[in-house]
Amino acid sequence: MKFFPYALVALAMVASSAMAMPSTTTIHLIGTPDKGRTSDQLVHGVAPVPLSSRATEDASQEWLQTGIAPSLVGTNGQVMYPYGQSRPTITCAPLHICVINLMAGEHITNMSIGDSVRWLVQSAGAGNRPVVVVKPTDAGLVTNLVVTTDAGRVYYMTLVSDAHDYVPLVGFYDPQQLVINMQQQAAQARAAEQARVEARKKAVVAPMGSINPASLDFDFICKADDGHADLENADLKPVRVFAGGGHTYLQMPPDMKYTDAPAVFNVTNGQTELMNSRLVHGYYIIDGLPQTFKLVVGVGKGARSVTCRHGQAGGGGWLSWR
């Protein structure tokens, strides 16, 4: 029993020593694409790329396909983190500042830092992009920083200080928003292309006015001239010829877009006369109703021509064309 007071004194001394021991901070980074690497480690471990919209779009496509958005290291030394897909650990150094670029178009609503005594933090702006500037006062410090914006984003970052190694410039990209933007742009492009297709259809049909399709005259036949085989003139011979409403329409083959456009000549009593014509999305529209006309490409011995005649197909109507 007489040793009991000494035992109490010993326990008190042990407890006092334990309380006096400095505490250490352990950072657990679980489930992040960076595997807990700091920004300085990323700079030394990831191949740099030119930071552009294409780089972030490619990274966003990778996230869409794999579910993992990579952190990017730019050729300028900047590290770009995927917002919402990682928990950045940013390395800073005493007597130097770290610049953290948030995403353009938003405004900072609040900033909170764990150690406001040994870390200096302030907000700034660069055009429409908010910027956070931080600086540690000593090496070996660890704290965290939370920044909220009016875009509904919450940026959570861990800050560490090193005596020598640091990354002065850090930024973010939002893979989810970029994917949404790309999908919207693709949908708009498809809609615009569809509108162009519809406009081309209307541009072809519009010159016909209110013509009754049943009254269109298809009684035309076209053949190659000067001994050329039809196969040699496949790009020049119309696919279909019909007339109506004071105009003659020539549906040209798709291959014609890779060759020179032909000139159109009216042929009357052996005399040729250049006719007014225009190419509208694969159709030649001739002003007038010529009985015989030629399509000519080239000059001299290298010239090729096709002659089309009306009233040679045997009666007219939809089934008379050939």
Side-chain angles (χ1 to χ4, degrees):
M1 296 296 295
K2 62 181 179 179
F3 296 105
F4 181 72
Y6 296 101
L8 289 177
V9 172
L11 289 173
M13 292 178 62
V14 170
S16 177
S17 299
M19 293 178 62
M21 291 177 62
S23 61
T24 59
T25 302
T26 301
I27 304 173
H28 297 284
L29 296 180
I30 301 173
T32 67
D34 303 325
K35 299 179 181 179
R37 290 179 292 179
T38 66
S39 57
D40 180 66
Q41 292 169 337
L42 286 172
V43 167
H44 292 91
V46 176
V49 297
L51 293 181
S52 62
S53 58
R54 179 171 182 177
T56 53
E57 287 175 0
D58 290 344
S60 299
Q61 288 289 359
E62 181 177 341
W63 169 76
L64 183 63
Q65 296 170 5
T66 66
I68 298 177
S71 295
L72 305 176
V73 176
T75 51
N76 62 346
Q78 180 181 4
V79 175
M80 288 196 71
Y81 290 99
Y83 172 79
Q85 308 300 320
S86 66
R87 200 168 74 189
T89 300
I90 302 171
T91 306
C92 301
L95 304 180
H96 297 81
I97 61 173
C98 285
V99 177
I100 304 171
N101 289 316
L102 306 185
M103 278 174 278
E106 57 185 0
H107 300 86
I108 296 173
T109 56
N110 187 59
M111 291 193 306
S112 298
I113 189 167
D115 185 351
S116 60
V117 175
R118 295 178 295 178
W119 288 81
L120 306 178
V121 57
Q122 66 180 33
S123 62
N128 67 338
R129 183 183 300 277
V131 175
V132 177
V133 180
V134 296
K135 181 173 70 173
T137 59
D138 199 358
L141 303 179
V142 179
T143 191
N144 60 347
L145 173 66
V146 176
V147 182
T148 60
T149 71
D150 60 357
R153 295 191 178 100
V154 179
Y155 297 85
Y156 183 95
M157 296 158 275
T158 297
L159 306 178
V160 299
S161 63
D162 188 276
H164 306 289
D165 298 323
Y166 75 106
V167 176
L169 195 59
V170 171
F172 289 87
Y173 72 97
D174 190 338
Q176 182 177 6
Q177 187 60 51
L178 285 174
V179 167
I180 293 174
N181 293 343
M182 287 186 288
Q183 291 174 341
Q184 290 176 343
Q185 291 170 2
Q188 291 171 357
R190 288 193 297 270
E193 178 59 27
Q194 183 62 32
R196 285 192 291 267
V197 170
E198 294 299 326
R200 285 196 294 267
K201 292 179 180 178
K202 292 179 180 179
V204 172
V205 175
M208 297 183 184
S210 58
I211 299 175
N212 183 359
S215 67
L216 293 177
D217 183 0
F218 286 81
D219 192 12
F220 289 87
I221 188 170
C222 299
K223 291 185 178 181
D225 296 328
D226 302 326
H228 291 284
D230 286 348
L231 185 61
E232 296 175 357
N233 292 278
D235 61 327
L236 184 59
K237 185 178 179 181
V239 175
R240 183 174 289 107
V241 181
F242 56 93
H247 295 84
T248 303
Y249 301 87
L250 286 65
Q251 182 182 354
M252 303 305 294
D255 290 343
M256 196 201 73
K257 64 182 179 181
Y258 302 110
T259 61
D260 294 332
V264 182
F265 294 91
N266 184 23
V267 180
T268 306
N269 298 325
Q271 301 295 317
T272 59
E273 179 185 7
L274 184 65
M275 301 192 68
N276 292 328
S277 62
R278 54 196 177 278
L279 182 63
V280 181
H281 306 300
Y283 279 80
Y284 257 108
I285 302 176
I286 302 173
D287 294 333
L289 301 171
Q291 295 300 299
T292 304
F293 58 90
K294 284 181 177 285
L295 304 178
V296 182
V297 172
V299 295
K301 294 182 179 180
R304 296 184 297 121
S305 64
V306 168
T307 298
C308 297
R309 291 182 172 85
H310 177 258
Q312 301 294 314
W318 288 95
L319 300 178
S320 63
W321 173 86
R322 57 178 177 169

Short mmCIF file of all heavy atoms in Angstrom, two decimals, residues 80-108:
data_model
loop_
_atom_site.label_atom_id
_atom_site.label_comp_id
_atom_site.label_asym_id
_atom_site.label_seq_id
_atom_site.Cartn_x
_atom_site.Cartn_y
_atom_site.Cartn_z
N MET A 80 -3.40 20.82 -63.84
CA MET A 80 -4.85 21.01 -63.92
C MET A 80 -5.54 19.77 -63.37
O MET A 80 -5.32 18.65 -63.85
CB MET A 80 -5.29 21.27 -65.36
CG MET A 80 -4.90 22.63 -65.87
SD MET A 80 -5.80 23.09 -67.38
CE MET A 80 -7.45 23.37 -66.70
N TYR A 81 -6.38 19.98 -62.37
CA TYR A 81 -7.09 18.89 -61.71
C TYR A 81 -8.51 18.79 -62.26
O TYR A 81 -9.15 19.82 -62.54
CB TYR A 81 -7.16 19.12 -60.21
CG TYR A 81 -5.84 18.98 -59.50
CD1 TYR A 81 -5.08 20.09 -59.17
CD2 TYR A 81 -5.35 17.73 -59.13
CE1 TYR A 81 -3.87 19.96 -58.51
CE2 TYR A 81 -4.14 17.58 -58.47
CZ TYR A 81 -3.41 18.71 -58.15
OH TYR A 81 -2.21 18.58 -57.50
N PRO A 82 -9.05 17.57 -62.38
CA PRO A 82 -10.45 17.42 -62.77
C PRO A 82 -11.36 17.72 -61.59
O PRO A 82 -11.31 17.02 -60.57
CB PRO A 82 -10.54 15.96 -63.21
CG PRO A 82 -9.48 15.27 -62.41
CD PRO A 82 -8.38 16.26 -62.23
N TYR A 83 -12.20 18.74 -61.72
CA TYR A 83 -13.07 19.11 -60.62
C TYR A 83 -14.05 17.98 -60.32
O TYR A 83 -14.66 17.39 -61.21
CB TYR A 83 -13.85 20.38 -60.95
CG TYR A 83 -14.90 20.70 -59.92
CD1 TYR A 83 -14.56 21.29 -58.70
CD2 TYR A 83 -16.24 20.35 -60.12
CE1 TYR A 83 -15.51 21.55 -57.74
CE2 TYR A 83 -17.19 20.60 -59.16
CZ TYR A 83 -16.83 21.20 -57.96
OH TYR A 83 -17.77 21.45 -57.00
N GLY A 84 -14.19 17.68 -59.03
CA GLY A 84 -15.14 16.67 -58.59
C GLY A 84 -14.66 15.25 -58.77
O GLY A 84 -15.34 14.31 -58.37
N GLN A 85 -13.45 15.06 -59.36
CA GLN A 85 -12.94 13.72 -59.60
C GLN A 85 -11.64 13.46 -58.86
O GLN A 85 -11.05 12.39 -58.99
CB GLN A 85 -12.70 13.52 -61.11
CG GLN A 85 -13.89 13.87 -61.97
CD GLN A 85 -15.12 13.04 -61.66
OE1 GLN A 85 -15.01 11.84 -61.41
NE2 GLN A 85 -16.29 13.67 -61.64
N SER A 86 -11.16 14.41 -58.10
CA SER A 86 -9.91 14.23 -57.34
C SER A 86 -9.93 15.17 -56.14
O SER A 86 -10.76 16.08 -56.05
CB SER A 86 -8.70 14.54 -58.23
OG SER A 86 -8.68 15.91 -58.59
N ARG A 87 -9.00 14.94 -55.22
CA ARG A 87 -8.84 15.81 -54.06
C ARG A 87 -7.40 16.32 -54.09
O ARG A 87 -6.48 15.66 -53.60
CB ARG A 87 -9.14 15.05 -52.77
CG ARG A 87 -9.47 15.97 -51.59
CD ARG A 87 -10.05 15.20 -50.44
NE ARG A 87 -9.06 14.41 -49.74
CZ ARG A 87 -9.35 13.52 -48.81
NH1 ARG A 87 -10.60 13.29 -48.51
NH2 ARG A 87 -8.40 12.84 -48.19
N PRO A 88 -7.19 17.48 -54.68
CA PRO A 88 -5.84 17.95 -54.94
C PRO A 88 -5.03 18.19 -53.67
O PRO A 88 -5.54 18.68 -52.66
CB PRO A 88 -6.06 19.27 -55.69
CG PRO A 88 -7.45 19.19 -56.20
CD PRO A 88 -8.22 18.39 -55.21
N THR A 89 -3.75 17.83 -53.73
CA THR A 89 -2.78 18.18 -52.71
C THR A 89 -1.75 19.08 -53.37
O THR A 89 -1.00 18.65 -54.24
CB THR A 89 -2.09 16.94 -52.12
OG1 THR A 89 -3.08 16.10 -51.53
CG2 THR A 89 -1.07 17.32 -51.07
N ILE A 90 -1.75 20.34 -52.98
CA ILE A 90 -0.95 21.36 -53.66
C ILE A 90 0.28 21.69 -52.83
O ILE A 90 0.17 22.00 -51.64
CB ILE A 90 -1.80 22.63 -53.90
CG1 ILE A 90 -3.04 22.25 -54.72
CG2 ILE A 90 -1.00 23.70 -54.60
CD1 ILE A 90 -4.06 23.36 -54.83
N THR A 91 1.44 21.63 -53.47
CA THR A 91 2.72 21.90 -52.79
C THR A 91 3.12 23.34 -53.01
O THR A 91 3.25 23.81 -54.15
CB THR A 91 3.82 20.97 -53.34
OG1 THR A 91 3.39 19.61 -53.24
CG2 THR A 91 5.10 21.15 -52.54
N CYS A 92 3.31 24.06 -51.91
CA CYS A 92 3.77 25.44 -51.96
C CYS A 92 5.07 25.56 -51.18
O CYS A 92 5.52 24.60 -50.54
CB CYS A 92 2.71 26.39 -51.37
SG CYS A 92 1.11 26.31 -52.21
N ALA A 93 5.70 26.76 -51.22
CA ALA A 93 6.98 26.96 -50.54
C ALA A 93 6.99 28.32 -49.85
O ALA A 93 6.37 29.27 -50.34
CB ALA A 93 8.14 26.86 -51.52
N PRO A 94 7.68 28.43 -48.72
CA PRO A 94 7.78 29.73 -48.04
C PRO A 94 8.43 30.77 -48.95
O PRO A 94 9.27 30.43 -49.80
CB PRO A 94 8.66 29.41 -46.82
CG PRO A 94 8.55 27.94 -46.63
CD PRO A 94 8.37 27.35 -47.98
N LEU A 95 8.01 32.00 -48.80
CA LEU A 95 8.53 33.13 -49.57
C LEU A 95 8.15 33.06 -51.05
O LEU A 95 8.67 33.80 -51.88
CB LEU A 95 10.05 33.24 -49.44
CG LEU A 95 10.60 33.36 -48.00
CD1 LEU A 95 12.11 33.45 -48.01
CD2 LEU A 95 9.99 34.57 -47.30
N HIS A 96 7.25 32.14 -51.40
CA HIS A 96 6.73 32.04 -52.76
C HIS A 96 5.21 31.93 -52.70
O HIS A 96 4.66 31.48 -51.70
CB HIS A 96 7.31 30.82 -53.49
CG HIS A 96 8.78 30.87 -53.68
ND1 HIS A 96 9.69 30.51 -52.70
CD2 HIS A 96 9.53 31.25 -54.76
CE1 HIS A 96 10.91 30.66 -53.15
NE2 HIS A 96 10.85 31.10 -54.39
N ILE A 97 4.56 32.34 -53.76
CA ILE A 97 3.11 32.24 -53.80
C ILE A 97 2.69 31.11 -54.74
O ILE A 97 3.37 30.81 -55.71
CB ILE A 97 2.43 33.56 -54.23
CG1 ILE A 97 2.88 33.96 -55.64
CG2 ILE A 97 2.71 34.66 -53.24
CD1 ILE A 97 2.14 35.15 -56.20
N CYS A 98 1.56 30.49 -54.42
CA CYS A 98 0.91 29.53 -55.29
C CYS A 98 -0.37 30.17 -55.82
O CYS A 98 -1.17 30.70 -55.04
CB CYS A 98 0.56 28.24 -54.53
SG CYS A 98 1.97 27.18 -54.18
N VAL A 99 -0.55 30.11 -57.13
CA VAL A 99 -1.72 30.68 -57.77
C VAL A 99 -2.66 29.54 -58.15
O VAL A 99 -2.28 28.61 -58.87
CB VAL A 99 -1.34 31.50 -59.01
CG1 VAL A 99 -2.60 32.03 -59.70
CG2 VAL A 99 -0.42 32.64 -58.62
N ILE A 100 -3.90 29.60 -57.68
CA ILE A 100 -4.91 28.58 -57.95
C ILE A 100 -5.99 29.20 -58.82
O ILE A 100 -6.74 30.06 -58.37
CB ILE A 100 -5.52 28.03 -56.65
CG1 ILE A 100 -4.41 27.49 -55.73
CG2 ILE A 100 -6.54 26.95 -56.95
CD1 ILE A 100 -4.90 27.12 -54.34
N ASN A 101 -6.03 28.78 -60.09
CA ASN A 101 -7.04 29.28 -61.02
C ASN A 101 -8.30 28.43 -60.91
O ASN A 101 -8.27 27.22 -61.14
CB ASN A 101 -6.51 29.21 -62.46
CG ASN A 101 -5.43 30.24 -62.71
OD1 ASN A 101 -5.55 31.38 -62.31
ND2 ASN A 101 -4.36 29.82 -63.38
N LEU A 102 -9.41 29.07 -60.56
CA LEU A 102 -10.69 28.38 -60.60
C LEU A 102 -11.25 28.48 -62.02
O LEU A 102 -10.61 29.02 -62.92
CB LEU A 102 -11.64 28.99 -59.58
CG LEU A 102 -11.10 29.06 -58.13
CD1 LEU A 102 -12.18 29.57 -57.19
CD2 LEU A 102 -10.57 27.71 -57.67
N MET A 103 -12.44 27.96 -62.25
CA MET A 103 -12.98 27.94 -63.60
C MET A 103 -13.63 29.26 -63.96
O MET A 103 -14.18 29.96 -63.10
CB MET A 103 -13.95 26.77 -63.75
CG MET A 103 -13.22 25.47 -64.01
SD MET A 103 -14.27 24.00 -64.03
CE MET A 103 -14.42 23.67 -62.30
N ALA A 104 -13.52 29.60 -65.24
CA ALA A 104 -14.00 30.89 -65.71
C ALA A 104 -15.51 31.00 -65.58
O ALA A 104 -16.24 30.01 -65.63
CB ALA A 104 -13.59 31.09 -67.17
N GLY A 105 -15.97 32.24 -65.38
CA GLY A 105 -17.40 32.51 -65.35
C GLY A 105 -18.05 32.38 -64.00
O GLY A 105 -19.27 32.52 -63.89
N GLU A 106 -17.30 32.10 -62.95
CA GLU A 106 -17.89 32.00 -61.62
C GLU A 106 -17.23 33.02 -60.69
O GLU A 106 -16.20 33.60 -61.02
CB GLU A 106 -17.73 30.58 -61.06
CG GLU A 106 -16.30 30.07 -60.98
CD GLU A 106 -16.22 28.62 -60.54
OE1 GLU A 106 -17.26 28.01 -60.30
OE2 GLU A 106 -15.08 28.10 -60.43
N HIS A 107 -17.83 33.20 -59.52
CA HIS A 107 -17.30 34.16 -58.54
C HIS A 107 -17.20 33.48 -57.17
O HIS A 107 -18.05 32.67 -56.80
CB HIS A 107 -18.21 35.39 -58.44
CG HIS A 107 -18.35 36.14 -59.73
ND1 HIS A 107 -19.29 35.79 -60.68
CD2 HIS A 107 -17.66 37.20 -60.24
CE1 HIS A 107 -19.19 36.62 -61.71
NE2 HIS A 107 -18.21 37.48 -61.48
N ILE A 108 -16.15 33.82 -56.46
CA ILE A 108 -15.93 33.24 -55.13
C ILE A 108 -16.94 33.82 -54.15
O ILE A 108 -17.12 35.04 -54.07
CB ILE A 108 -14.49 33.52 -54.65
CG1 ILE A 108 -13.50 32.82 -55.57
CG2 ILE A 108 -14.29 33.07 -53.21
CD1 ILE A 108 -12.04 33.16 -55.29
#
